[in-house]
């Protein structure tokens, strides 16, 4: 089963509230985005969003240029159905982030919660970083969250990588200036506690 088939199977067989990464409210991501992108016309992309409710929150705040990407069409269909008529205000991208055709120098914020840690191959991580550098506008922001050093070693039946703030920042290199980092304790729908590392970096090529 390849990557696309894996995630299609997940979202076709489980409701959004059943997956371990479900958040009823993406408080940390929302608050940071509001702070670094106060202009509601700022182009923002949520990568590997699944059926996340972050897009609902950002639309509710008044953001007008939102793109949501996931490798699973089923996941995005869930969000489209949930948003109903508001879905028309969002650009929906069914694609693998590693080979997605993204516009250059476009986004003010690149948001990723829980995609990068699935990239256990160094070549894949380098492709991901290249995609961020291509799509972010200069002085744009990368907001990325992964499992922390003491987080799970597997998720959704797949191995994952775990990061400290320094190790996560190192993956992106000196063109991404680390502004701040956070440790977030996530409670899964089953009540299991998972530690996340969240880094905010500014792209300064």
């Amino acid at each position: 089963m390849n990557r696309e088939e894996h995630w299609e199977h997940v979202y076709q067989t489980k409701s959004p509230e059943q997956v371990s990464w479900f958040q009823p409210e993406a408080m940390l991501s929302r608050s940071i985005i509001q702070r670094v992108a106060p202009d509601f016309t700022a182009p923002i992309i949520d990568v590997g969003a699944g059926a996340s409710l972050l897009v609902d929150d950002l639309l509710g705040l008044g953001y007008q240029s939102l793109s949501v990407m996931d490798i699973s069409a089923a996941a995005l269909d869930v969000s489209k159905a949930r948003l109903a008529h508001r879905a028309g205000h969002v650009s929906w991208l069914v694609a693998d982030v590693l080979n997605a055709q993204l516009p250059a120098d476009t986004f003010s914020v690149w948001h990723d919660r829980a995609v990068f840690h699935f990239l256990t191959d160094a070549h894949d991580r380098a492709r991901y970083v290249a995609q961020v550098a291509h799509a972010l506008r200069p002085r744009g922001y990368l907001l990325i969250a992964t499992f922390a050093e003491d987080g799970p070693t597997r998720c959704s039946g797949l191995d994952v990588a775990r990061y400290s703030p320094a190790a996560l920042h190192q993956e992106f290199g000196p063109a991404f200036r680390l502004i701040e980092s956070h440790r977030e304790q996530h409670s899964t729908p089953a009540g299991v506690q998972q530690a996340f590392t969240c880094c905010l970096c500014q792209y300064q090529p």
Side-chain angles (χ1 to χ4, degrees):
M1 185 181 294
N2 64 29
R3 189 156 42 209
E4 179 183 354
E5 291 168 340
H6 174 87
W7 293 112
E8 279 290 277
H9 176 75
V10 168
Y11 282 101
Q12 289 172 356
T13 57
K14 294 185 178 182
S15 71
E17 296 80 10
Q18 290 177 312
V19 296
S20 64
W21 52 91
F22 174 74
Q23 284 183 309
E25 193 174 9
M27 291 184 289
L28 180 60
S29 294
R30 184 184 64 207
S31 65
I32 293 175
I33 290 171
Q34 283 184 272
R35 177 157 44 86
V36 301
D39 180 355
F40 289 146
T41 66
I44 297 168
I45 186 167
D46 189 9
V47 173
S52 167
L53 296 170
L54 178 61
V55 64
D56 307 52
D57 291 346
L58 296 178
L59 283 171
L61 289 169
Y63 285 94
Q64 302 163 21
S65 185
L66 300 175
S67 297
V68 176
M69 179 196 294
D70 201 90
I71 197 170
S72 167
L76 298 187
D77 286 343
V78 171
S79 290
K80 291 177 189 178
R82 186 182 67 238
L83 287 169
H85 69 278
R86 292 197 297 163
H89 299 294
V90 178
S91 176
W92 302 95
L93 307 171
V94 179
D96 183 335
V97 64
L98 299 184
N99 52 39
Q101 299 298 307
L102 296 171
D105 304 330
T106 296
F107 297 105
S108 295
V109 179
W110 175 294
H111 175 265
D112 166 6
R113 177 182 177 272
V115 174
F116 190 74
H117 62 210
F118 284 108
L119 304 180
T120 56
D121 179 82
H123 178 67
D124 286 345
R125 293 196 297 273
R127 290 169 63 194
Y128 181 103
V129 173
Q131 286 282 64
V132 180
H134 168 78
L136 263 185
R137 57 179 54 169
R139 302 192 67 79
Y141 293 92
L142 166 69
L143 177 55
I144 186 163
T146 67
F147 285 134
E149 291 174 296
D150 56 341
T153 58
R154 289 177 63 81
C155 180
S156 189
L158 302 174
D159 291 336
V160 297
R162 301 182 295 175
Y163 295 94
S164 66
L168 183 54
H169 175 238
Q170 186 176 16
E171 291 285 341
F172 288 85
F176 292 84
R177 181 172 68 89
L178 180 61
I179 295 175
E180 62 190 47
S181 63
H182 302 265
R183 178 182 171 88
E184 185 178 31
Q185 203 69 22
H186 169 64
S187 181
T188 73
V192 177
Q193 297 301 302
Q194 297 178 336
F196 275 75
T197 291
C198 179
C199 287
L200 174 68
C201 302
Q202 187 173 42
Y203 182 45
Q204 298 181 346

